[in-house]
Amino acid sequence: MSGLEFNFTEADFRTLSRLALEDAGIELNEGKRTLVYSRLAKRLRSLGLRDFSEYCSLIQEHEGAQERRHFVSQLTTNVTKFYRESHHFDHLSAHAIGQIREKTRRGQPVRIWSAACSSGEEPYSIAIELAKHMTPQELSHIKILATDIDNKILASASKGIYPATALANLAPELRQRFFTETDQSGALQVSTEIRQLVTFRHLNLIKTWPVKGPFDAVFCRNVAIYFPDNIQHDLWENFSRVIAKDGFLYIGHSERITGATARRFTSKGATIYQLTDAVGARSNA
Ligand SMILES: C[S@@+](CC[C@H](N)C(=O)[O-])C[C@H]1O[C@@H](n2cnc3c(N)ncnc32)[C@H](O)[C@@H]1O
């Protein structure tokens, strides 16, 4: 690419594509060149680098480890919102809740995982949906794990503070009940009752997971689309090993479960799956 502030060669793009794939599973095809340039140019500017070749060298050196995390963070897409793909939350409170209640009655922990949670709207929506329907005693058994590769977004997610505009698609009674005023003008914070149900942790979906399950439900939405087929297959396979028998997997609107693992899941509606053949998965019962 010529006529730009920083020289960006074909070889630089190939190096950055390889590193994005190795670090995060993110596939950068030719069509992403302009996007990569514009997202990383600000990093070069703030580091005082002359061109992309210097940037490629830096992030491959030991001293560049911190910048390598910024690199991944710049390339991820964090778009999300409260109650995104709302039919998943309808399913959670109309169907999955039966099993969830049964476990809380037996005094067993219920574990739900929001994998690739971005700025927190997804795990908080899960918590709000359950809190709408469950008693404080039942809720005391619920644990929601929320993970993402991007530490910066996790720091903001754990605060649970959002501009009022981010709550536009929430019913007024939910805003009233589950959010509190803050001293930042126009911003609201998720209530303590909801925040204490959610634990945020760093986790890279394409590396070894420091979690074992079993999970009663997993939300892994709008992240697998960035992964190549082989990484997607491994991802579904890994989920089939940590979801409890008859637990649910919710995926993004343009994603589908592929590979040999697909037969273990039974479709329960658009992008909703139940792990009915739990080979390798452990029952929580
Ligand atoms: C588009 S957001 C999806 C947020 C939410 N799940 C939703 O559907 O609204 C994608 C998220 O995936 C995260 N991500 C990308 N690659 C990842 C990886 N290898 N491991 C974990 N999270 C990753 C990004 O940081 C980003 O927050």
Side-chain angles (χ1 to χ4, degrees), residues 23-26 72 76-81 84-85 114-119 122 147-150 153 203-206 219-223 226-227 252:
D23 285 8
I26 296 171
V72 170
T76 54
T77 299
N78 299 124
V79 175
T80 186
K81 62 176 185 174
R84 182 182 195 182
E85 299 175 41
S114 164
C117 65
S118 189
S119 38
E122 179 177 282
T147 64
D148 202 280
I149 196 174
D150 186 343
I153 206 85
L203 184 143
N204 186 343
L205 285 168
I206 71 152
F219 285 66
C220 184
R221 310 183 311 159
N222 306 302
V223 62
Y226 300 105
F227 300 160

PDB file of all heavy atoms in Angstrom, residues 23-26 72 76-81 84-85 114-119 122 147-150 153 203-206 219-223 226-227 252, ligand 1:
ATOM      1  N   ASP A  23      -1.980 -16.167  17.649  1.00  0.00           N
ATOM      2  CA  ASP A  23      -2.299 -15.642  18.984  1.00  0.00           C
ATOM      3  C   ASP A  23      -3.774 -15.742  19.331  1.00  0.00           C
ATOM      4  O   ASP A  23      -4.123 -15.978  20.485  1.00  0.00           O
ATOM      5  CB  ASP A  23      -1.903 -14.156  19.089  1.00  0.00           C
ATOM      6  CG  ASP A  23      -0.403 -13.981  19.212  1.00  0.00           C
ATOM      7  OD1 ASP A  23       0.316 -14.979  19.058  1.00  0.00           O
ATOM      8  OD2 ASP A  23       0.033 -12.841  19.458  1.00  0.00           O
ATOM      9  N   ALA A  24      -4.650 -15.494  18.341  1.00  0.00           N
ATOM     10  CA  ALA A  24      -6.077 -15.375  18.676  1.00  0.00           C
ATOM     11  C   ALA A  24      -6.974 -16.231  17.794  1.00  0.00           C
ATOM     12  O   ALA A  24      -8.182 -16.272  18.015  1.00  0.00           O
ATOM     13  CB  ALA A  24      -6.504 -13.911  18.567  1.00  0.00           C
ATOM     14  N   GLY A  25      -6.405 -16.895  16.788  1.00  0.00           N
ATOM     15  CA  GLY A  25      -7.234 -17.691  15.880  1.00  0.00           C
ATOM     16  C   GLY A  25      -7.921 -16.818  14.839  1.00  0.00           C
ATOM     17  O   GLY A  25      -8.756 -17.287  14.071  1.00  0.00           O
ATOM     18  N   ILE A  26      -7.574 -15.538  14.821  1.00  0.00           N
ATOM     19  CA  ILE A  26      -8.255 -14.612  13.911  1.00  0.00           C
ATOM     20  C   ILE A  26      -7.658 -14.719  12.508  1.00  0.00           C
ATOM     21  O   ILE A  26      -6.442 -14.616  12.324  1.00  0.00           O
ATOM     22  CB  ILE A  26      -8.154 -13.160  14.433  1.00  0.00           C
ATOM     23  CG1 ILE A  26      -8.893 -13.058  15.768  1.00  0.00           C
ATOM     24  CG2 ILE A  26      -8.712 -12.168  13.428  1.00  0.00           C
ATOM     25  CD1 ILE A  26      -8.687 -11.749  16.487  1.00  0.00           C
ATOM     26  N   VAL A  72      -3.259  -7.728  19.434  1.00  0.00           N
ATOM     27  CA  VAL A  72      -4.443  -8.604  19.395  1.00  0.00           C
ATOM     28  C   VAL A  72      -5.693  -7.791  19.719  1.00  0.00           C
ATOM     29  O   VAL A  72      -6.724  -7.890  19.048  1.00  0.00           O
ATOM     30  CB  VAL A  72      -4.282  -9.794  20.377  1.00  0.00           C
ATOM     31  CG1 VAL A  72      -5.585 -10.560  20.528  1.00  0.00           C
ATOM     32  CG2 VAL A  72      -3.173 -10.721  19.905  1.00  0.00           C
ATOM     33  N   THR A  76      -9.328  -7.293  17.423  1.00  0.00           N
ATOM     34  CA  THR A  76     -10.593  -7.934  17.790  1.00  0.00           C
ATOM     35  C   THR A  76     -11.744  -6.948  17.605  1.00  0.00           C
ATOM     36  O   THR A  76     -11.562  -5.735  17.693  1.00  0.00           O
ATOM     37  CB  THR A  76     -10.579  -8.429  19.253  1.00  0.00           C
ATOM     38  OG1 THR A  76     -10.223  -7.339  20.086  1.00  0.00           O
ATOM     39  CG2 THR A  76      -9.615  -9.572  19.456  1.00  0.00           C
ATOM     40  N   THR A  77     -12.914  -7.499  17.359  1.00  0.00           N
ATOM     41  CA  THR A  77     -14.118  -6.677  17.200  1.00  0.00           C
ATOM     42  C   THR A  77     -14.963  -6.892  18.440  1.00  0.00           C
ATOM     43  O   THR A  77     -15.288  -8.030  18.775  1.00  0.00           O
ATOM     44  CB  THR A  77     -14.877  -7.132  15.936  1.00  0.00           C
ATOM     45  OG1 THR A  77     -13.993  -6.941  14.839  1.00  0.00           O
ATOM     46  CG2 THR A  77     -16.148  -6.347  15.715  1.00  0.00           C
ATOM     47  N   ASN A  78     -15.274  -5.818  19.145  1.00  0.00           N
ATOM     48  CA  ASN A  78     -15.953  -5.952  20.432  1.00  0.00           C
ATOM     49  C   ASN A  78     -17.450  -5.631  20.388  1.00  0.00           C
ATOM     50  O   ASN A  78     -18.087  -5.518  21.435  1.00  0.00           O
ATOM     51  CB  ASN A  78     -15.277  -5.037  21.475  1.00  0.00           C
ATOM     52  CG  ASN A  78     -13.823  -5.387  21.701  1.00  0.00           C
ATOM     53  OD1 ASN A  78     -12.936  -4.555  21.561  1.00  0.00           O
ATOM     54  ND2 ASN A  78     -13.559  -6.633  22.034  1.00  0.00           N
ATOM     55  N   VAL A  79     -18.001  -5.500  19.196  1.00  0.00           N
ATOM     56  CA  VAL A  79     -19.418  -5.110  19.081  1.00  0.00           C
ATOM     57  C   VAL A  79     -20.320  -6.081  19.847  1.00  0.00           C
ATOM     58  O   VAL A  79     -20.224  -7.299  19.688  1.00  0.00           O
ATOM     59  CB  VAL A  79     -19.858  -5.106  17.596  1.00  0.00           C
ATOM     60  CG1 VAL A  79     -21.349  -4.818  17.470  1.00  0.00           C
ATOM     61  CG2 VAL A  79     -19.052  -4.098  16.818  1.00  0.00           C
ATOM     62  N   THR A  80     -21.181  -5.550  20.677  1.00  0.00           N
ATOM     63  CA  THR A  80     -22.117  -6.370  21.444  1.00  0.00           C
ATOM     64  C   THR A  80     -23.229  -5.469  21.944  1.00  0.00           C
ATOM     65  O   THR A  80     -23.161  -4.245  21.760  1.00  0.00           O
ATOM     66  CB  THR A  80     -21.398  -7.070  22.625  1.00  0.00           C
ATOM     67  OG1 THR A  80     -22.311  -7.961  23.266  1.00  0.00           O
ATOM     68  CG2 THR A  80     -20.840  -6.087  23.647  1.00  0.00           C
ATOM     69  N   LYS A  81     -24.257  -6.029  22.545  1.00  0.00           N
ATOM     70  CA  LYS A  81     -25.270  -5.194  23.202  1.00  0.00           C
ATOM     71  C   LYS A  81     -26.093  -6.041  24.161  1.00  0.00           C
ATOM     72  O   LYS A  81     -26.067  -7.279  24.081  1.00  0.00           O
ATOM     73  CB  LYS A  81     -26.163  -4.485  22.178  1.00  0.00           C
ATOM     74  CG  LYS A  81     -26.970  -5.388  21.292  1.00  0.00           C
ATOM     75  CD  LYS A  81     -27.878  -4.555  20.388  1.00  0.00           C
ATOM     76  CE  LYS A  81     -28.773  -5.466  19.576  1.00  0.00           C
ATOM     77  NZ  LYS A  81     -29.760  -4.774  18.789  1.00  0.00           N
ATOM     78  N   ARG A  84     -28.628  -9.052  22.988  1.00  0.00           N
ATOM     79  CA  ARG A  84     -28.373  -9.297  21.564  1.00  0.00           C
ATOM     80  C   ARG A  84     -28.885 -10.704  21.240  1.00  0.00           C
ATOM     81  O   ARG A  84     -28.660 -11.634  21.998  1.00  0.00           O
ATOM     82  CB  ARG A  84     -26.866  -9.231  21.319  1.00  0.00           C
ATOM     83  CG  ARG A  84     -26.479  -9.425  19.876  1.00  0.00           C
ATOM     84  CD  ARG A  84     -24.969  -9.383  19.746  1.00  0.00           C
ATOM     85  NE  ARG A  84     -24.562  -9.214  18.375  1.00  0.00           N
ATOM     86  CZ  ARG A  84     -23.286  -9.186  17.989  1.00  0.00           C
ATOM     87  NH1 ARG A  84     -22.314  -9.309  18.879  1.00  0.00           N
ATOM     88  NH2 ARG A  84     -22.971  -9.026  16.731  1.00  0.00           N
ATOM     89  N   GLU A  85     -29.534 -10.867  20.114  1.00  0.00           N
ATOM     90  CA  GLU A  85     -30.131 -12.158  19.720  1.00  0.00           C
ATOM     91  C   GLU A  85     -31.023 -12.648  20.869  1.00  0.00           C
ATOM     92  O   GLU A  85     -30.765 -13.668  21.511  1.00  0.00           O
ATOM     93  CB  GLU A  85     -29.039 -13.155  19.323  1.00  0.00           C
ATOM     94  CG  GLU A  85     -28.251 -12.618  18.126  1.00  0.00           C
ATOM     95  CD  GLU A  85     -27.055 -13.441  17.696  1.00  0.00           C
ATOM     96  OE1 GLU A  85     -27.162 -14.673  17.687  1.00  0.00           O
ATOM     97  OE2 GLU A  85     -26.027 -12.841  17.348  1.00  0.00           O
ATOM     98  N   SER A 114     -20.069 -17.389  29.651  1.00  0.00           N
ATOM     99  CA  SER A 114     -20.151 -16.467  28.524  1.00  0.00           C
ATOM    100  C   SER A 114     -18.728 -16.369  27.969  1.00  0.00           C
ATOM    101  O   SER A 114     -17.882 -15.666  28.524  1.00  0.00           O
ATOM    102  CB  SER A 114     -20.661 -15.105  29.003  1.00  0.00           C
ATOM    103  OG  SER A 114     -20.416 -14.104  28.046  1.00  0.00           O
ATOM    104  N   ALA A 115     -18.464 -17.124  26.907  1.00  0.00           N
ATOM    105  CA  ALA A 115     -17.108 -17.228  26.349  1.00  0.00           C
ATOM    106  C   ALA A 115     -16.995 -16.175  25.246  1.00  0.00           C
ATOM    107  O   ALA A 115     -17.772 -16.225  24.295  1.00  0.00           O
ATOM    108  CB  ALA A 115     -16.891 -18.627  25.791  1.00  0.00           C
ATOM    109  N   ALA A 116     -16.050 -15.257  25.354  1.00  0.00           N
ATOM    110  CA  ALA A 116     -15.942 -14.091  24.460  1.00  0.00           C
ATOM    111  C   ALA A 116     -17.038 -13.081  24.814  1.00  0.00           C
ATOM    112  O   ALA A 116     -17.927 -12.767  24.028  1.00  0.00           O
ATOM    113  CB  ALA A 116     -16.007 -14.478  22.988  1.00  0.00           C
ATOM    114  N   CYS A 117     -16.949 -12.585  26.054  1.00  0.00           N
ATOM    115  CA  CYS A 117     -18.026 -11.760  26.635  1.00  0.00           C
ATOM    116  C   CYS A 117     -17.929 -10.295  26.267  1.00  0.00           C
ATOM    117  O   CYS A 117     -18.820  -9.511  26.598  1.00  0.00           O
ATOM    118  CB  CYS A 117     -18.001 -11.904  28.150  1.00  0.00           C
ATOM    119  SG  CYS A 117     -16.485 -11.239  28.905  1.00  0.00           S
ATOM    120  N   SER A 118     -16.815  -9.875  25.639  1.00  0.00           N
ATOM    121  CA  SER A 118     -16.607  -8.476  25.268  1.00  0.00           C
ATOM    122  C   SER A 118     -16.835  -7.555  26.476  1.00  0.00           C
ATOM    123  O   SER A 118     -16.379  -7.862  27.574  1.00  0.00           O
ATOM    124  CB  SER A 118     -17.491  -8.110  24.067  1.00  0.00           C
ATOM    125  OG  SER A 118     -17.144  -6.833  23.597  1.00  0.00           O
ATOM    126  N   SER A 119     -17.586  -6.469  26.309  1.00  0.00           N
ATOM    127  CA  SER A 119     -17.707  -5.471  27.380  1.00  0.00           C
ATOM    128  C   SER A 119     -18.745  -5.825  28.446  1.00  0.00           C
ATOM    129  O   SER A 119     -19.099  -4.975  29.269  1.00  0.00           O
ATOM    130  CB  SER A 119     -17.982  -4.095  26.773  1.00  0.00           C
ATOM    131  OG  SER A 119     -18.838  -4.200  25.665  1.00  0.00           O
ATOM    132  N   GLU A 122     -23.359  -9.311  27.467  1.00  0.00           N
ATOM    133  CA  GLU A 122     -23.885 -10.681  27.355  1.00  0.00           C
ATOM    134  C   GLU A 122     -24.020 -11.365  28.726  1.00  0.00           C
ATOM    135  O   GLU A 122     -25.121 -11.816  29.079  1.00  0.00           O
ATOM    136  CB  GLU A 122     -22.997 -11.493  26.406  1.00  0.00           C
ATOM    137  CG  GLU A 122     -23.443 -12.938  26.237  1.00  0.00           C
ATOM    138  CD  GLU A 122     -22.559 -13.663  25.220  1.00  0.00           C
ATOM    139  OE1 GLU A 122     -22.750 -13.473  24.013  1.00  0.00           O
ATOM    140  OE2 GLU A 122     -21.668 -14.418  25.653  1.00  0.00           O
ATOM    141  N   THR A 147     -15.557 -14.636  30.059  1.00  0.00           N
ATOM    142  CA  THR A 147     -14.148 -14.590  29.654  1.00  0.00           C
ATOM    143  C   THR A 147     -13.977 -13.916  28.301  1.00  0.00           C
ATOM    144  O   THR A 147     -14.905 -13.885  27.483  1.00  0.00           O
ATOM    145  CB  THR A 147     -13.553 -16.020  29.563  1.00  0.00           C
ATOM    146  OG1 THR A 147     -14.233 -16.741  28.531  1.00  0.00           O
ATOM    147  CG2 THR A 147     -13.673 -16.766  30.873  1.00  0.00           C
ATOM    148  N   ASP A 148     -12.780 -13.391  28.086  1.00  0.00           N
ATOM    149  CA  ASP A 148     -12.443 -12.781  26.798  1.00  0.00           C
ATOM    150  C   ASP A 148     -10.926 -12.767  26.682  1.00  0.00           C
ATOM    151  O   ASP A 148     -10.217 -12.868  27.686  1.00  0.00           O
ATOM    152  CB  ASP A 148     -12.998 -11.350  26.704  1.00  0.00           C
ATOM    153  CG  ASP A 148     -13.146 -10.876  25.266  1.00  0.00           C
ATOM    154  OD1 ASP A 148     -12.122 -10.458  24.663  1.00  0.00           O
ATOM    155  OD2 ASP A 148     -14.264 -10.936  24.716  1.00  0.00           O
ATOM    156  N   ILE A 149     -10.442 -12.606  25.464  1.00  0.00           N
ATOM    157  CA  ILE A 149      -8.993 -12.533  25.230  1.00  0.00           C
ATOM    158  C   ILE A 149      -8.454 -11.132  25.526  1.00  0.00           C
ATOM    159  O   ILE A 149      -7.262 -10.943  25.734  1.00  0.00           O
ATOM    160  CB  ILE A 149      -8.675 -12.921  23.760  1.00  0.00           C
ATOM    161  CG1 ILE A 149      -7.196 -13.244  23.588  1.00  0.00           C
ATOM    162  CG2 ILE A 149      -9.115 -11.838  22.787  1.00  0.00           C
ATOM    163  CD1 ILE A 149      -6.850 -13.778  22.206  1.00  0.00           C
ATOM    164  N   ASP A 150      -9.349 -10.142  25.543  1.00  0.00           N
ATOM    165  CA  ASP A 150      -8.951  -8.737  25.574  1.00  0.00           C
ATOM    166  C   ASP A 150      -9.039  -8.183  27.011  1.00  0.00           C
ATOM    167  O   ASP A 150     -10.131  -7.923  27.522  1.00  0.00           O
ATOM    168  CB  ASP A 150      -9.898  -7.978  24.621  1.00  0.00           C
ATOM    169  CG  ASP A 150      -9.522  -6.526  24.443  1.00  0.00           C
ATOM    170  OD1 ASP A 150      -8.758  -5.996  25.266  1.00  0.00           O
ATOM    171  OD2 ASP A 150     -10.011  -5.920  23.471  1.00  0.00           O
ATOM    172  N   ILE A 153     -10.910  -4.770  27.560  1.00  0.00           N
ATOM    173  CA  ILE A 153     -12.378  -4.816  27.525  1.00  0.00           C
ATOM    174  C   ILE A 153     -12.907  -5.488  28.799  1.00  0.00           C
ATOM    175  O   ILE A 153     -13.968  -5.131  29.313  1.00  0.00           O
ATOM    176  CB  ILE A 153     -12.885  -5.505  26.226  1.00  0.00           C
ATOM    177  CG1 ILE A 153     -14.292  -5.023  25.864  1.00  0.00           C
ATOM    178  CG2 ILE A 153     -12.894  -7.008  26.305  1.00  0.00           C
ATOM    179  CD1 ILE A 153     -14.312  -3.780  25.082  1.00  0.00           C
ATOM    180  N   LEU A 203      -9.326 -15.368  29.119  1.00  0.00           N
ATOM    181  CA  LEU A 203      -9.202 -16.730  28.570  1.00  0.00           C
ATOM    182  C   LEU A 203      -9.154 -16.653  27.049  1.00  0.00           C
ATOM    183  O   LEU A 203      -9.979 -15.984  26.422  1.00  0.00           O
ATOM    184  CB  LEU A 203     -10.388 -17.603  29.020  1.00  0.00           C
ATOM    185  CG  LEU A 203     -10.325 -19.079  28.602  1.00  0.00           C
ATOM    186  CD1 LEU A 203     -10.878 -19.992  29.701  1.00  0.00           C
ATOM    187  CD2 LEU A 203     -11.081 -19.341  27.304  1.00  0.00           C
ATOM    188  N   ASN A 204      -8.143 -17.313  26.494  1.00  0.00           N
ATOM    189  CA  ASN A 204      -8.006 -17.378  25.040  1.00  0.00           C
ATOM    190  C   ASN A 204      -8.639 -18.683  24.563  1.00  0.00           C
ATOM    191  O   ASN A 204      -8.182 -19.773  24.932  1.00  0.00           O
ATOM    192  CB  ASN A 204      -6.518 -17.329  24.672  1.00  0.00           C
ATOM    193  CG  ASN A 204      -6.304 -17.239  23.174  1.00  0.00           C
ATOM    194  OD1 ASN A 204      -7.209 -17.521  22.382  1.00  0.00           O
ATOM    195  ND2 ASN A 204      -5.110 -16.847  22.773  1.00  0.00           N
ATOM    196  N   LEU A 205      -9.676 -18.586  23.754  1.00  0.00           N
ATOM    197  CA  LEU A 205     -10.425 -19.781  23.335  1.00  0.00           C
ATOM    198  C   LEU A 205      -9.598 -20.748  22.500  1.00  0.00           C
ATOM    199  O   LEU A 205      -9.953 -21.916  22.394  1.00  0.00           O
ATOM    200  CB  LEU A 205     -11.674 -19.362  22.543  1.00  0.00           C
ATOM    201  CG  LEU A 205     -12.817 -18.793  23.381  1.00  0.00           C
ATOM    202  CD1 LEU A 205     -13.872 -18.154  22.486  1.00  0.00           C
ATOM    203  CD2 LEU A 205     -13.449 -19.863  24.257  1.00  0.00           C
ATOM    204  N   ILE A 206      -8.507 -20.270  21.890  1.00  0.00           N
ATOM    205  CA  ILE A 206      -7.754 -21.195  21.030  1.00  0.00           C
ATOM    206  C   ILE A 206      -6.538 -21.807  21.739  1.00  0.00           C
ATOM    207  O   ILE A 206      -5.763 -22.528  21.128  1.00  0.00           O
ATOM    208  CB  ILE A 206      -7.332 -20.546  19.695  1.00  0.00           C
ATOM    209  CG1 ILE A 206      -6.240 -19.496  19.906  1.00  0.00           C
ATOM    210  CG2 ILE A 206      -8.523 -19.967  18.957  1.00  0.00           C
ATOM    211  CD1 ILE A 206      -5.357 -19.345  18.671  1.00  0.00           C
ATOM    212  N   PHE A 219     -22.638 -19.670  26.376  1.00  0.00           N
ATOM    213  CA  PHE A 219     -22.922 -18.702  25.318  1.00  0.00           C
ATOM    214  C   PHE A 219     -21.587 -18.431  24.631  1.00  0.00           C
ATOM    215  O   PHE A 219     -20.673 -17.891  25.264  1.00  0.00           O
ATOM    216  CB  PHE A 219     -23.462 -17.386  25.894  1.00  0.00           C
ATOM    217  CG  PHE A 219     -24.889 -17.448  26.364  1.00  0.00           C
ATOM    218  CD1 PHE A 219     -25.256 -18.234  27.440  1.00  0.00           C
ATOM    219  CD2 PHE A 219     -25.878 -16.704  25.724  1.00  0.00           C
ATOM    220  CE1 PHE A 219     -26.577 -18.295  27.879  1.00  0.00           C
ATOM    221  CE2 PHE A 219     -27.201 -16.755  26.147  1.00  0.00           C
ATOM    222  CZ  PHE A 219     -27.551 -17.555  27.218  1.00  0.00           C
ATOM    223  N   CYS A 220     -21.448 -18.844  23.374  1.00  0.00           N
ATOM    224  CA  CYS A 220     -20.222 -18.530  22.629  1.00  0.00           C
ATOM    225  C   CYS A 220     -20.683 -17.948  21.299  1.00  0.00           C
ATOM    226  O   CYS A 220     -20.895 -18.672  20.326  1.00  0.00           O
ATOM    227  CB  CYS A 220     -19.352 -19.761  22.426  1.00  0.00           C
ATOM    228  SG  CYS A 220     -17.805 -19.300  21.601  1.00  0.00           S
ATOM    229  N   ARG A 221     -20.867 -16.647  21.277  1.00  0.00           N
ATOM    230  CA  ARG A 221     -21.567 -16.032  20.160  1.00  0.00           C
ATOM    231  C   ARG A 221     -20.701 -14.974  19.468  1.00  0.00           C
ATOM    232  O   ARG A 221     -20.059 -14.149  20.116  1.00  0.00           O
ATOM    233  CB  ARG A 221     -22.860 -15.405  20.684  1.00  0.00           C
ATOM    234  CG  ARG A 221     -23.656 -16.415  21.560  1.00  0.00           C
ATOM    235  CD  ARG A 221     -24.974 -15.884  22.040  1.00  0.00           C
ATOM    236  NE  ARG A 221     -24.886 -14.574  22.632  1.00  0.00           N
ATOM    237  CZ  ARG A 221     -25.919 -13.744  22.751  1.00  0.00           C
ATOM    238  NH1 ARG A 221     -27.105 -14.112  22.310  1.00  0.00           N
ATOM    239  NH2 ARG A 221     -25.764 -12.566  23.307  1.00  0.00           N
ATOM    240  N   ASN A 222     -20.716 -15.051  18.158  1.00  0.00           N
ATOM    241  CA  ASN A 222     -20.077 -14.023  17.329  1.00  0.00           C
ATOM    242  C   ASN A 222     -18.576 -13.890  17.563  1.00  0.00           C
ATOM    243  O   ASN A 222     -18.025 -12.788  17.533  1.00  0.00           O
ATOM    244  CB  ASN A 222     -20.802 -12.681  17.527  1.00  0.00           C
ATOM    245  CG  ASN A 222     -22.288 -12.833  17.267  1.00  0.00           C
ATOM    246  OD1 ASN A 222     -22.680 -13.240  16.181  1.00  0.00           O
ATOM    247  ND2 ASN A 222     -23.122 -12.568  18.259  1.00  0.00           N
ATOM    248  N   VAL A 223     -17.935 -15.026  17.803  1.00  0.00           N
ATOM    249  CA  VAL A 223     -16.470 -15.046  17.846  1.00  0.00           C
ATOM    250  C   VAL A 223     -15.941 -16.131  16.909  1.00  0.00           C
ATOM    251  O   VAL A 223     -14.953 -15.910  16.208  1.00  0.00           O
ATOM    252  CB  VAL A 223     -15.928 -15.207  19.291  1.00  0.00           C
ATOM    253  CG1 VAL A 223     -16.347 -16.506  19.934  1.00  0.00           C
ATOM    254  CG2 VAL A 223     -14.419 -15.078  19.316  1.00  0.00           C
ATOM    255  N   TYR A 226     -14.756 -15.545  13.275  1.00  0.00           N
ATOM    256  CA  TYR A 226     -13.435 -15.008  12.921  1.00  0.00           C
ATOM    257  C   TYR A 226     -12.394 -16.121  12.770  1.00  0.00           C
ATOM    258  O   TYR A 226     -11.281 -15.860  12.344  1.00  0.00           O
ATOM    259  CB  TYR A 226     -12.956 -14.006  13.990  1.00  0.00           C
ATOM    260  CG  TYR A 226     -13.894 -12.835  14.128  1.00  0.00           C
ATOM    261  CD1 TYR A 226     -14.749 -12.721  15.216  1.00  0.00           C
ATOM    262  CD2 TYR A 226     -13.956 -11.854  13.139  1.00  0.00           C
ATOM    263  CE1 TYR A 226     -15.636 -11.654  15.332  1.00  0.00           C
ATOM    264  CE2 TYR A 226     -14.840 -10.791  13.242  1.00  0.00           C
ATOM    265  CZ  TYR A 226     -15.672 -10.695  14.339  1.00  0.00           C
ATOM    266  OH  TYR A 226     -16.544  -9.650  14.430  1.00  0.00           O
ATOM    267  N   PHE A 227     -12.743 -17.356  13.169  1.00  0.00           N
ATOM    268  CA  PHE A 227     -11.780 -18.459  13.175  1.00  0.00           C
ATOM    269  C   PHE A 227     -11.878 -19.287  11.894  1.00  0.00           C
ATOM    270  O   PHE A 227     -12.981 -19.516  11.388  1.00  0.00           O
ATOM    271  CB  PHE A 227     -12.040 -19.401  14.361  1.00  0.00           C
ATOM    272  CG  PHE A 227     -11.941 -18.776  15.739  1.00  0.00           C
ATOM    273  CD1 PHE A 227     -12.543 -19.392  16.833  1.00  0.00           C
ATOM    274  CD2 PHE A 227     -11.234 -17.597  15.955  1.00  0.00           C
ATOM    275  CE1 PHE A 227     -12.457 -18.846  18.113  1.00  0.00           C
ATOM    276  CE2 PHE A 227     -11.146 -17.038  17.225  1.00  0.00           C
ATOM    277  CZ  PHE A 227     -11.756 -17.664  18.308  1.00  0.00           C
ATOM    278  N   GLY A 252     -23.630 -17.693  17.696  1.00  0.00           N
ATOM    279  CA  GLY A 252     -24.032 -16.475  16.982  1.00  0.00           C
ATOM    280  C   GLY A 252     -24.876 -16.754  15.742  1.00  0.00           C
ATOM    281  O   GLY A 252     -24.864 -17.861  15.199  1.00  0.00           O
TER     282      GLY A 252
HETATM  283  C1  LIG B   1     -18.076  -9.471  18.448  1.00  0.00           C
HETATM  284  S1  LIG B   1     -17.607  -9.738  20.129  1.00  0.00           S
HETATM  285  C2  LIG B   1     -18.912 -10.819  20.674  1.00  0.00           C
HETATM  286  C3  LIG B   1     -19.453 -10.436  22.037  1.00  0.00           C
HETATM  287  C4  LIG B   1     -20.664 -11.242  22.501  1.00  0.00           C
HETATM  288  N1  LIG B   1     -20.363 -12.647  22.600  1.00  0.00           N
HETATM  289  C5  LIG B   1     -21.845 -11.018  21.582  1.00  0.00           C
HETATM  290  O1  LIG B   1     -22.204 -11.901  20.810  1.00  0.00           O
HETATM  291  O2  LIG B   1     -22.415  -9.918  21.615  1.00  0.00           O
HETATM  292  C6  LIG B   1     -16.215 -10.858  19.912  1.00  0.00           C
HETATM  293  C7  LIG B   1     -15.341 -10.982  21.155  1.00  0.00           C
HETATM  294  O3  LIG B   1     -14.487 -12.116  20.983  1.00  0.00           O
HETATM  295  C8  LIG B   1     -13.249 -11.836  21.605  1.00  0.00           C
HETATM  296  N2  LIG B   1     -12.241 -12.771  21.061  1.00  0.00           N
HETATM  297  C9  LIG B   1     -11.655 -12.767  19.837  1.00  0.00           C
HETATM  298  N3  LIG B   1     -10.787 -13.779  19.727  1.00  0.00           N
HETATM  299  C10 LIG B   1     -10.826 -14.454  20.908  1.00  0.00           C
HETATM  300  C11 LIG B   1     -10.152 -15.598  21.416  1.00  0.00           C
HETATM  301  N4  LIG B   1      -9.246 -16.262  20.685  1.00  0.00           N
HETATM  302  N5  LIG B   1     -10.430 -16.010  22.677  1.00  0.00           N
HETATM  303  C12 LIG B   1     -11.339 -15.341  23.436  1.00  0.00           C
HETATM  304  N6  LIG B   1     -12.008 -14.250  23.014  1.00  0.00           N
HETATM  305  C13 LIG B   1     -11.755 -13.812  21.761  1.00  0.00           C
HETATM  306  C14 LIG B   1     -13.010 -10.375  21.271  1.00  0.00           C
HETATM  307  O4  LIG B   1     -12.078  -9.780  22.155  1.00  0.00           O
HETATM  308  C15 LIG B   1     -14.429  -9.794  21.389  1.00  0.00           C
HETATM  309  O5  LIG B   1     -14.654  -9.240  22.659  1.00  0.00           O
END
